[in-house]
């Protein structure tokens, strides 16, 4: 009977050990030799033990184990709110440890949010997590029924732990997809809602589906050797969608190389916007347009032009740049064409055509 009562130990400690092994290795590799490590908030053994015990009693065994043996993964600020993930979501997966670490930190906010605090927030409000630039959104509030959803996931176990600086809630499912095909390069691992500078959810009319579509496009670009453009698009996507809340269909011209990709400068954002049309246009539709026809982009006052014939092998180019791989991705809302090189911004002082 004793062995049956601890049936969960093997999967729990396997998952916990895998995550902690990755954390230990990545910390050793990324810690600068001459600089102090990032300060963390001291956490009493009593607090960790008490919170871990409460989580285990509610069936959140993996989160309980990780909180007990690696509290520094969660407690990186004076205040903390943790949204605990059910064991079944973590055990029945073959996702890599680096993703699980990101996932757990995406379920942790450097704010203290009791359910009363959540109910006071307007529906559509966003709040930060421990994953850089990735936020959570309050997608449903029903204070009368005492129900709340974060990222369209029900908070099933509210206020499991409610200490002075720490709050822990249980949630019905993870806040981001756990499908293996949706997990790829580290900067793309978490599928987060898009929020504007005022921490408000950007156009949730289409919900996570449109956000997931953007994420899959970035994945596809990366896998088709448009890596630098994928990195650039990902780094500015939040701001683009914040400025274009009703952007429901787009055409993307993807170049194999992109300047300024290592920078977060405004120039990178301008270049990326120049490569996106706020409408879906197939190759046949573009080819049917007359020479010199202007195409409106997401960069204000910077249009693209259809150019045909001169120096173009296939007879169709945009701003003199040939479409070398038409329609490498096509859906109801999106279409992506591969081009031979990046477009130049005409009004940039040193740009050359």
């Amino acid at each position: 009977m004793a062995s049956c009562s601890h049936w969960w130990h093997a999967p729990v400690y396997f998952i916990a050990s895998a995550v902690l092994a990755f954390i230990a290795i990545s910390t050793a590799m990324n810690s600068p030799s001459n600089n102090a490590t990032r300060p963390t908030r001291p956490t009493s053994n009593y607090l960790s033990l008490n919170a871990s015990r409460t989580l285990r009693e509610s069936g959140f065994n993996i989160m309980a184990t990780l909180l007990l043996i690696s509290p520094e993964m969660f407690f990186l600020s004076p205040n903390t709110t943790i949204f605990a993930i059910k064991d079944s979501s973590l055990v029945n997966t073959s996702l890599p440890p680096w993703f699980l670490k990101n996932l757990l930190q995406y379920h942790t906010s450097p704010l203290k949010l009791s359910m009363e605090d959540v109910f006071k927030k307007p529906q559509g409000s966003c709040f930060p997590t421990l994953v850089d630039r990735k936020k959570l959104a309050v997608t449903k509030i029903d204070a009368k029924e005492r129900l709340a959803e974060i990222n369209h996931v029900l908070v099933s176990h509210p206020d499991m732990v409610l200490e002075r600086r720490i709050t822990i809630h249980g949630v019905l499912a993870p806040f981001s997809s756990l499908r293996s095909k949706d997990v790829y390069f580290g900067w793309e691992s978490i599928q987060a809602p898009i929020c504007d500078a005022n921490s408000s959810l950007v156009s949730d009319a289409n919900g996570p589906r449109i956000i997931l579509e953007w994420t899959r496009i970035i994945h596809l670009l990366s896998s088709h050797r448009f890596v630098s453009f994928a990195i650039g698009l990902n780094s500015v996507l939040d701001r683009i969608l914040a400025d274009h809340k009703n952007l429901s269909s787009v055409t993307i011209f993807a170049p194999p190389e992109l300047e300024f990709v290592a920078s977060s400068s405004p120039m990178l954002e301008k270049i990326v916007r120049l490569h996106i049309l706020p409408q879906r246009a197939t190759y046949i539709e573009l080819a049917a347009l007359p020479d010199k026809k202007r195409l409106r982009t997401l960069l204000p006052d910077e249009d693209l032009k259809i150019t045909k014939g001169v120096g173009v092998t296939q007879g169709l180019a945009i701003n003199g740049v040939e479409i070398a791989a038409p329609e490498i991705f096509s859906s109801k809302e999106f279409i992506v064409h591969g081009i031979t090189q990046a477009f130049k911004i005409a009004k940039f002082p040193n740009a050359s055509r």
Side-chain angles (χ1 to χ4, degrees):
M1 293 295 293
S3 60
C4 293
S5 65
H6 299 290
W7 63 269
W8 50 265
H9 280 185
V12 167
Y13 281 102
F14 175 80
I15 297 289
S17 298
V19 173
L20 292 173
F22 174 80
I23 294 170
I25 293 170
S26 61
T27 299
M29 292 178 64
N30 296 326
S31 295
S33 57
N34 297 325
N35 296 326
T37 57
R38 183 161 79 166
T40 60
R41 176 170 65 84
T43 305
S44 68
N45 291 333
Y46 167 78
L47 180 59
S48 292
L49 182 62
N50 184 51
S52 178
R53 183 184 297 116
T54 301
L55 282 167
R56 201 177 304 283
E57 289 172 353
S58 299
F60 295 85
N61 295 301
I62 292 177
M63 295 291 288
T65 301
L66 288 168
L67 185 64
L68 183 63
I69 60 182
S70 186
E72 67 277 2
M73 182 166 62
F74 304 95
F75 301 129
L76 298 178
S77 67
N79 298 299
T80 301
T81 296
I82 299 172
F83 295 93
I85 308 171
K86 297 173 65 175
D87 286 359
S88 57
S89 297
L90 296 175
V91 171
N92 299 320
T93 182
S94 58
L95 296 171
W98 62 260
F99 174 78
L100 292 175
K101 177 197 171 186
N102 284 353
L103 182 73
L104 293 170
Q105 292 194 322
Y106 181 59
H107 284 69
T108 307
S109 175
L111 304 176
K112 184 179 184 297
L113 296 170
S114 67
M115 283 308 295
E116 287 300 326
D117 295 324
V118 174
F119 287 139
K120 292 176 184 176
K121 288 182 172 292
Q123 187 165 309
S125 61
C126 302
F127 54 94
T129 71
L130 296 185
V131 179
D132 186 36
R133 297 188 300 108
K134 301 293 186 181
K135 294 185 178 182
L136 297 171
V138 180
T139 49
K140 184 176 182 179
I141 288 288
D142 190 334
K144 183 178 180 180
E145 297 293 331
R146 312 298 292 173
L147 297 176
E149 291 184 3
I150 311 294
N151 284 22
H152 300 280
V153 174
L154 179 68
V155 179
S156 55
H157 295 68
D159 295 336
M160 282 195 297
V161 175
L162 198 58
E163 300 285 349
R164 188 167 65 92
R165 294 184 177 276
I166 296 174
T167 300
I168 301 180
H169 310 290
V171 293
L172 200 59
F175 291 149
S176 182
S177 172
L178 296 188
R179 294 185 300 177
S180 298
K181 68 178 183 178
D182 292 330
V183 176
Y184 32 88
F185 296 105
W187 63 83
E188 293 305 325
S189 59
I190 299 299
Q191 295 160 9
I194 304 298
C195 303
D196 62 20
N198 297 318
S199 292
S200 296
L201 187 62
V202 173
S203 184
D204 195 42
N206 293 315
R209 183 180 62 83
I210 290 295
I211 296 171
L212 181 58
E213 193 88 335
W214 278 103
T215 306
R216 286 176 174 166
I217 285 173
I218 294 172
H219 177 206
L220 175 130
L221 291 170
S222 300
S223 63
H224 281 70
R225 300 182 181 179
F226 298 97
V227 176
S228 62
F229 184 74
I231 296 173
L233 175 59
N234 178 71
S235 67
V236 303
L237 182 59
D238 287 11
R239 295 192 291 277
I240 288 175
L241 295 186
D243 289 345
H244 299 273
K245 292 181 172 60
N246 298 317
L247 189 63
S248 58
S249 60
V250 296
T251 298
I252 299 174
F253 297 105
E257 298 293 336
L258 194 67
E259 293 182 280
F260 302 99
V261 73
S263 169
S264 59
S265 70
M267 183 51 61
L268 172 61
E269 185 173 344
K270 289 181 179 180
I271 292 175
V272 171
R273 287 174 183 258
L274 182 64
H275 289 74
I276 302 176
L277 309 181
Q279 64 185 69
R280 185 180 181 277
T282 66
Y283 184 82
I284 292 176
E285 290 170 338
L286 291 171
L289 295 174
D291 191 32
K292 307 300 182 184
K293 172 69 176 178
R294 302 183 76 88
L295 304 171
R296 184 167 61 93
T297 73
L298 295 187
L299 182 60
D301 302 321
E302 283 281 353
D303 294 340
L304 298 173
K305 289 182 180 180
I306 296 289
T307 50
K308 298 182 177 180
V310 181
V312 179
T313 304
Q314 296 182 2
L316 176 62
I318 311 294
N319 275 27
V321 177
E322 189 171 345
I323 298 179
E327 301 180 24
I328 58 175
F329 175 85
S330 179
S331 69
K332 183 178 179 181
E333 296 89 5
F334 293 83
I335 196 161
V336 181
H337 304 292
I339 56 178
T340 56
Q341 65 183 56
F343 301 134
K344 302 295 184 181
I345 296 179
K347 295 180 181 179
F348 185 47
N350 294 323
S352 59
R353 304 300 283 196

